[in-house]
Amino acid sequence: MVKVLVAGGAGYIGSTVASACLDAGLTPLVLDNFVRGRREFTEGRITYEGDIADGSVVDRIFAEHPDISAVVHCAALIVVPDSVADPIGYYEANVAKSLAFVGHLHRNGCDRVIFSSSAAVYRAQDGSPVTEDTPLAPQSPYARTKAVCEEMFADIAVAGPRVLSLRYFNPVGADPKLRTGLQLARPSHALGVLIRAHQEGRPFPVTGTHYPTRDGSGIRDYVHVWDLAAAHIAAIERFDSVLTGAKRSTAINLGTGSGTTVRELCAAFNNVVSTPLATVDADPRPGDVAGGYTTSDRAAELLGWTPKLSLEDGIRSALDWIPVRDALLKD
């Protein structure tokens, strides 16, 4: 049985990756300090409570499971406003601890690391697509921690573990079996705000209607979290063919390849719900940009991965998850 260590495996993405591992016949080992992760998401899974920077914990995991095949590194703080308010804390948690973690992995003979990176490393603001060759221009301390980690891992990969960085665009939805989903009762991303507007019976404001996009509204790249999890399974299975010979590290964008405008998001939502959501056009908020999306050519070529689930699937699973979350999580 192939074993995969999932650091941050009690969080939204990590727990979904762990579920996908189980469904693919892989054995996930969860490492989480539960600062943000949920114990409820680790039920029935081999779990170690501890920090990725704690060498004694990492050493114990490898001593008890010397046959670990790969590590998925999802452990990070991810809230952009919090990173602005506490940049020291974010660099400590996301960069310094990642450096310590990869050192512990190297000491234990680990050679395969899949790093959860982010599309935030790009400056996607004019509505156009980005590729892995688009210059990096992170706009927040959080985003810069991801870019710094990628560069750090690329340097380390020359003489240490090989690293495949997966740059997520905008995850939505939940595990289709509703084992896990977003921990937050009131998520702040666009779909979360849209769902709240619908629940409260008020119009959803389309902020900005004159951007250079298909319909004038902003554009983002919403990818189902289960498709993201599938990309991790593909990365585990194809790791040695992607990073072979002198090639020790690379980055791959994970998105739909076409993006979704705000108006299209609202239309997809109305395709799912029985009571239509009303919208109202509004001026852009301070700091709003047109946004962007990715092409998924490299993911298709290297991982054999293309998204299988629709935006409607993501919206439907997000709605289905709400009552499950309220029953499963107590806060």
Side-chain angles (χ1 to χ4, degrees), residues 9 35 56 67 74 77 79 126 130 139 146 203 303:
V35 169
S56 63
D67 51 344
C74 296
L77 299 179
V79 181
D126 63 358
V130 297
Q139 299 298 298
K146 290 296 186 181
L303 301 181

Side-chain angles (χ1 to χ4, degrees), residues 3 7 31 41 65 72 74-75 116 135 183 186 188 190 241 254 292 299 318:
K3 294 179 180 177
L31 170 61
F41 291 171
H65 304 276
V72 178
C74 296
S116 295
Q183 305 100 309
R186 295 174 65 86
S188 59
S241 63
L254 297 180

Side-chain angles (χ1 to χ4, degrees), residues 19 27 40 70 85 89 128 156 164 174 184 227 273 281 312 316 331:
S19 294
T27 298
E40 297 92 334
S128 61
I156 290 170
L164 179 56
L184 303 174
D227 277 327
V273 298
D281 290 353
E312 284 85 353
R316 191 174 294 109
D331 57 2

Side-chain angles (χ1 to χ4, degrees), residues 33-262:
N33 62 11
F34 297 104
V35 169
R36 293 286 189 273
R38 300 298 304 228
R39 297 180 192 277
E40 297 92 334
F41 291 171
T42 66
E43 183 91 21
R45 301 174 183 184
I46 302 170
T47 303
Y48 293 83
E49 181 173 358
D51 200 283
I52 60 172
D54 187 338
S56 63
V57 174
V58 177
D59 290 347
R60 180 160 63 92
I61 294 171
F62 277 86
E64 295 176 3
H65 304 276
D67 51 344
I68 290 172
S69 177
V71 172
V72 178
H73 177 15
C74 296
L77 299 179
I78 63 170
V79 181
V80 170
D82 289 353
S83 78
V84 175
D86 181 23
I88 293 174
Y90 264 68
Y91 275 94
E92 171 68 24
N94 293 0
V95 178
K97 290 187 177 183
S98 289
L99 176 59
F101 185 42
V102 76
H104 303 325
L105 297 179
H106 185 46
R107 184 176 64 251
N108 281 282
C110 171
D111 185 47
R112 301 183 187 94
V113 176
I114 297 165
F115 174 56
S116 295
S117 191
S118 170
V121 298
Y122 302 113
R123 183 172 184 154
Q125 62 177 5
D126 63 358
S128 61
V130 297
T131 72
E132 291 85 356
D133 296 323
T134 298
L136 304 190
Q139 299 298 298
S140 69
Y142 158 71
R144 279 187 283 277
T145 66
K146 290 296 186 181
V148 168
C149 278
E150 281 198 27
E151 294 175 353
M152 178 176 74
F153 288 147
D155 286 340
I156 290 170
V158 174
R162 292 171 293 165
V163 180
L164 179 56
S165 295
L166 302 181
R167 294 173 179 165
Y168 310 158
F169 276 68
N170 302 78
V172 294
D175 168 8
K177 295 181 182 179
L178 300 181
R179 289 166 287 190
T180 60
L182 272 172
Q183 305 100 309
L184 303 174
R186 295 174 65 86
S188 59
H189 59 56
L191 179 57
V193 175
L194 193 152
I195 289 173
R196 282 205 303 279
H198 185 256
Q199 290 172 331
E200 296 168 5
R202 54 182 174 79
F204 176 78
V206 178
T207 52
T209 58
H210 295 92
Y211 292 122
T213 61
R214 291 185 289 269
D215 57 26
S217 62
I219 192 167
R220 301 293 185 272
D221 201 333
Y222 300 103
V223 57
H224 199 297
V225 69
W226 193 245
D227 277 327
L228 284 183
H232 288 74
I233 301 303
I236 293 166
E237 294 174 344
R238 297 194 180 206
F239 194 98
D240 289 339
S241 63
V242 173
L243 296 179
T244 185
K247 188 176 184 181
R248 304 283 301 176
S249 65
T250 196
I252 299 176
N253 288 344
L254 297 180
T256 62
S258 60
T260 300
T261 68
V262 176

